[in-house]
């Protein structure tokens, strides 16, 4: 299926954003894969096994193993004349000029997990929400089936993504720019407690929201030091702000 309206509400917001920032960087992308049914995933799994073709996935549909089945993943393709022959139809997955690598970094910049960063399998057209890990294990443990997981989307405001603090600061207030960058901080973190996402570094800065314990946030290396504490600039779903590294693991 290529209908982004079938995907998690957060992806419905991030996909147009990714397409827009790609466009600003001279790259045009289309969306090739969104939600997959059990039958669609099993048909892909059969390739190179019981059907002709090469193996394209290790995720069996009947096991709910693909993030596509959970509605939190999508794939992209290029709408570009990469080889200069006047056609785009034969360049959908042509990475000769490293365009997929550029798209991957742009996706990461807005809080998406990129399949091109995986060690195995490397899947450069693939993006997904990082909140539940890189595989479907946590989703299966918590929700059992994609249908039960999708039912939670209807409960307003994406409960897992928007746990509000008692003193939520207006979203119109701008998050402060980070003062430093260090590659040692580039990785996903898990919250060790319920922690406040703030507009700036330090406990006196305005609260955007409270992130529950056990959730995943992503840092791309940006931070501000306050005393001996590093306050990391992180993304959490569609939110961005600062959290104390002392409460991350």
């Amino acid at each position: 299926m290529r209908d982004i309206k079938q995907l998690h509400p957060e992806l419905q917001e991030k996909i147009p954003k990714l397409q827009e920032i790609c466009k600003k960087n001279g790259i045009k992308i289309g969306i090739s894969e969104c939600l997959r049914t059990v039958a669609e995933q099993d048909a892909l799994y059969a390739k190179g096994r019981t059907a002709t073709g090469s193996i394209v996935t290790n995720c069996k549909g009947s096991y709910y193993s693909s993030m596509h089945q959970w509605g939190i993943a999508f794939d992209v393709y290029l709408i570009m004349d990469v080889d200069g022959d006047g056609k785009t139809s034969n360049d959908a997955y042509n990475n000769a000029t490293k365009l997929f690598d550029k798209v991957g970094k742009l996706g990461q910049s807005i809080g998406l997990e990129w399949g091109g960063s995986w060690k195995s399998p490397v899947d450069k057209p693939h993006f997904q929400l990082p909140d539940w890990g890189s595989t479907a294990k946590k989703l299966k443990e918590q929700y059992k089936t994609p249908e039960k997981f999708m039912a939670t989307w209807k409960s307003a405001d994406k409960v897992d993504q928007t746990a509000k603090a008692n003193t939520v600061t207006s979203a119109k207030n701008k998050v402060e720019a980070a003062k430093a960058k260090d590659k040692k901080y580039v990785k996903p973190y898990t919250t060790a407690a319920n922690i406040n996402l703030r507009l700036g570094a330090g406990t006196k800065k305005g609260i955007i929201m409270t992130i529950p314990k056990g959730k995943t946030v992503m840092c791309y290396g940006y931070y501000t030091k306050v005393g001996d504490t590093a306050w990391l600039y992180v993304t959490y779903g569609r939110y961005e702000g600062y959290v104390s590294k002392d409460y991350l693991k």
Side-chain angles (χ1 to χ4, degrees):
M1 297 182 186
R2 295 188 178 185
D3 184 2
I4 70 170
K5 293 180 181 179
Q6 299 292 323
L7 295 174
H8 191 282
E10 192 169 324
L11 278 189
Q12 292 183 43
E13 295 176 0
K14 285 186 179 292
I15 288 175
K17 187 175 182 179
L18 176 61
Q19 290 177 307
E20 181 61 26
I21 60 174
C22 282
K23 183 179 179 181
K24 289 180 179 178
N25 283 271
I27 306 170
K28 188 176 181 180
I29 61 170
I31 309 303
S32 59
E33 289 286 324
C34 294
L35 179 68
R36 287 188 195 141
T37 65
V38 170
E40 288 170 334
Q41 188 64 37
D42 275 338
L44 287 176
Y45 182 81
K47 287 187 176 182
R49 295 182 174 89
T50 58
T52 57
S54 301
I55 291 178
V56 295
T57 181
N58 294 321
C59 297
K60 199 170 184 178
S62 53
Y63 292 169
Y64 305 129
S65 298
S66 171
M67 293 303 224
H68 284 281
Q69 294 178 264
W70 295 85
I72 59 170
F74 66 98
D75 294 343
V76 304
Y77 65 95
L78 300 174
I79 309 175
M80 305 279 290
D81 181 13
V82 180
D83 56 15
D85 66 354
K87 298 184 294 184
T88 62
S89 58
N90 59 345
D91 291 318
Y93 299 101
N94 186 346
N95 197 38
T97 57
K98 303 298 182 182
L99 287 176
F100 274 103
D101 298 73
K102 294 177 182 178
V103 174
K105 290 179 180 179
L106 292 171
Q108 289 176 323
S109 76
I110 60 171
L112 291 169
E113 181 173 346
W114 177 44
S117 65
W118 299 340
K119 291 183 178 180
S120 179
V122 177
D123 191 356
K124 292 189 177 184
H126 179 92
F127 292 92
Q128 63 187 43
L129 293 176
D131 305 63
W132 298 275
S134 295
T135 71
K137 181 180 178 182
K138 289 183 179 179
L139 286 165
K140 288 194 282 187
E141 288 176 349
Q142 185 173 355
Y143 297 102
K144 308 304 181 186
T145 69
E147 289 76 16
K148 291 180 180 179
F149 173 57
M150 292 172 190
T152 67
W153 300 355
K154 297 175 183 178
S155 50
D157 313 323
K158 297 167 273 183
V159 174
D160 286 342
Q161 306 294 332
T162 59
K164 303 292 185 181
N166 290 329
T167 54
V168 178
T169 304
S170 171
K172 294 182 180 179
N173 290 338
K174 190 175 181 180
V175 178
E176 294 179 359
K179 294 182 178 180
K181 183 179 181 181
D182 193 321
K183 63 181 181 181
K184 71 181 181 182
Y185 292 132
V186 180
K187 65 175 183 177
Y189 293 88
T190 301
T191 54
N194 292 341
I195 59 174
N196 290 326
L197 182 69
R198 295 181 179 272
L199 288 167
T203 56
K204 294 183 179 179
K205 301 297 181 178
I207 297 172
I208 300 170
M209 64 176 296
T210 298
I211 303 175
K213 178 181 178 181
K215 295 299 182 180
T216 300
V217 299
M218 183 67 198
C219 179
Y220 295 98
Y222 295 96
Y223 72 100
T224 295
K225 203 77 175 288
V226 177
D228 295 327
T229 302
W231 285 77
L232 305 187
Y233 190 106
V234 303
T235 60
Y236 174 65
R238 61 189 176 89
Y239 295 94
E240 299 176 355
Y242 289 84
V243 295
S244 169
K245 189 178 180 301
D246 292 345
Y247 296 97
L248 299 175
K249 59 182 180 180

